[in-house]
Amino acid sequence: MAKKGRILSGHRPSGLLHIGHYEGTLRNWRALQDDYECFFEIADWHALTTEYEETSDLPFLIEQLAIDWLASGLDPERSVLFVQSDVMEHAELHLLLSMITPVSWLERCPTYKDRLQQLGDEGSPGYGLLGYPVLQAADIIIYKANVVPVGEDQLPHLELSREIARRFNNFYGEVFPEPQALLAEFPAVPGVDGRKMSKTYDNAINLSDTPDEITQKIKTMFTDPEKLRMGDAGHPDKCAVFAYQQIYNEESRVEEIREECESGELGCVACKAEVTERLLETMEPVMQRRAELADNLDHVRAVLADGAERAQAVAAETMREVREVMHL
Ligand code: TRP
């Protein structure tokens, strides 16, 4: 079947993925494999732009991310799953793009400005951090990807990728398509404390959690602070457990739950037990596959080795073209 185009997206290997990543990113990537030729990159060089001092965890983090991806249904038969640092061509294109990218474009980038602020007066950002979006542009355009599914936080980087591609094409001729961002609609998955789900807050339900761990995490969730005992009226829209109901339960049941919570008929303990069951039902196949993959690291490594080879074949071809138009 003819595909609609080529996709590249990526993720830094910065920790175990959680159900928020699954609902927000991975479901979407998995579905896109039907319509697009997909490249999914584990961006280990990008991780180094901030985590460069202690790198001994990197091989583990890379493998765990690959396991999370495979368990979630990224399919190495159809898509190319690879590690950025396995494809040296990214570094060469990054270098060449860094020549044509004005520093002022990079200094304006909101993610860079945020980081500067975090560093405070004393800290000086690494040279690589300033170039983060240049490396990301290289990642994308070296595959001539036209579509990049990302979260909203990545839009400034995508805008820069387009500007860099355009500038290159203006100087040397039409080599690169301008990549378009693809934003997906997805439900927000709050953490078990009601804040944004995040590794830093220690409030995540990970794909690597066991059913027991998940049951325990949901049991301790904060609910509506005004609903203290069974019989009190609840306010579902302020409750993280209800947010989970909306994701994991059937629509008709969710409406019943809303009414039963508001009337006080449904207590939080029962509500949590029900949503735990639904969540486990939905995530069971992913978690099961994950456990199998974690026991079969040779397979995971073979997938990444094969992915590196397939990615490199495309990247090397683009670099031949780039060197030629730049007279290198
Ligand atoms: N910057 C992205 C993130 O933090 C990761 C990334 C690296 C990426 N290269 C990419 C995303 C290329 C899309 C395309 O999530």
Side-chain angles (χ1 to χ4, degrees):
M1 193 188 65
K3 298 273 178 178
K4 286 193 206 157
R6 187 177 279 172
I7 274 180
L8 177 126
S9 198
H11 208 285
R12 282 168 294 165
S14 51
L16 297 169
L17 296 191
H18 53 61
I19 56 173
H21 293 120
Y22 184 77
E23 295 299 326
T25 306
L26 291 167
R27 259 183 200 286
N28 185 34
W29 288 7
R30 182 174 66 205
L32 288 167
Q33 296 178 114
D34 295 339
D35 294 326
Y36 293 87
E37 185 188 357
C38 294
F39 289 73
F40 298 115
E41 170 197 89
I42 297 180
D44 55 345
W45 283 338
H46 275 110
L48 294 178
T49 58
T50 52
E51 310 298 321
Y52 48 79
E53 276 187 46
E54 226 311 71
T55 60
S56 55
D57 262 2
L58 257 186
F60 172 78
L61 289 169
I62 289 169
E63 264 165 24
Q64 293 300 308
L65 183 54
I67 293 172
D68 279 331
W69 279 3
L70 291 167
S72 300
L74 300 192
D75 174 5
E77 301 283 318
R78 291 190 287 165
S79 302
V80 181
L81 276 56
F82 71 100
V83 180
Q84 185 179 38
S85 64
D86 282 341
V87 185
M88 294 309 156
E89 283 78 357
H90 289 230
E92 184 183 355
L93 185 57
H94 167 257
L95 177 82
L96 296 175
L97 296 180
S98 79
M99 304 301 171
I100 70 165
T101 306
V103 171
S104 61
W105 289 8
L106 300 172
E107 285 173 336
R108 270 203 302 271
C109 186
T111 46
Y112 179 69
K113 288 200 279 190
D114 284 353
R115 185 68 192 160
L116 274 191
Q117 218 158 30
Q118 283 168 19
L119 285 170
D121 291 338
E122 269 108 274
S124 172
Y127 171 55
L129 185 74
L130 182 66
Y132 187 114
V134 183
L135 181 57
Q136 186 160 343
D139 290 347
I140 297 166
I141 68 178
I142 206 164
Y143 300 101
K144 302 191 180 185
N146 8 55
V147 176
V148 186
V150 281
E152 207 152 358
D153 61 313
Q154 294 296 312
L155 290 182
H157 293 160
L158 253 288
E159 187 55 39
L160 270 168
S161 295
R162 273 199 299 281
E163 282 167 14
I164 293 170
R166 206 174 300 146
R167 196 165 160 89
F168 184 99
N169 291 345
N170 279 338
F171 291 147
Y172 311 112
E174 286 293 320
V175 173
F176 297 115
E178 286 178 30
Q180 300 299 319
L182 182 68
L183 283 177
E185 291 283 325
F186 59 87
V189 187
V192 292
D193 59 0
R195 294 189 287 175
K196 182 178 151 59
M197 186 174 283
S198 160
K199 179 178 61 117
T200 10
Y201 295 152
D202 194 23
N203 64 358
I205 295 178
N206 292 326
L207 302 184
S208 55
D209 286 348
T210 63
D212 280 349
E213 285 168 329
I214 292 171
T215 307
Q216 213 41 49
K217 283 183 180 179
I218 294 179
K219 262 196 190 145
T220 59
M221 276 177 82
F222 301 145
T223 53
D224 174 0
E226 287 164 49
K227 184 171 164 66
L228 293 176
R229 53 186 78 79
M230 174 105 188
D232 286 353
H235 303 85
D237 291 318
K238 293 188 205 160
C239 178
V241 178
F242 187 69
Y244 288 11
Q245 295 283 15
Q246 289 174 300
I247 297 167
Y248 297 107
N249 223 325
E250 289 139 39
E251 233 171 289
S252 57
R253 180 62 192 137
V254 172
E255 281 323 298
E256 280 169 23
I257 290 171
R258 175 189 290 287
E259 284 161 26
E260 291 171 15
C261 172
E262 284 172 345
S263 73
E265 191 185 328
L266 178 69
C268 296
V269 173
C271 179
K272 286 174 172 179
E274 180 173 341
V275 88
T276 302
E277 211 174 298
R278 291 286 98 80
L279 186 155
L280 289 177
E281 248 167 44
T282 310
M283 296 308 294
E284 231 279 316
V286 174
M287 291 169 169
Q288 178 75 38
R289 266 200 305 274
R290 200 192 186 288
E292 285 163 18
L293 287 158
D295 271 343
N296 194 354
L297 286 177
D298 285 345
H299 170 69
V300 176
R301 289 178 192 136
V303 164
L304 293 178
D306 174 62
E309 218 173 283
R310 287 154 71 196
Q312 191 171 34
V314 177
E317 185 49 44
T318 304
M319 284 318 295
R320 266 193 287 280
E321 210 180 326
V322 165
R323 287 183 215 114
E324 188 181 314
V325 299
M326 289 184 79
H327 309 288
L328 294 167

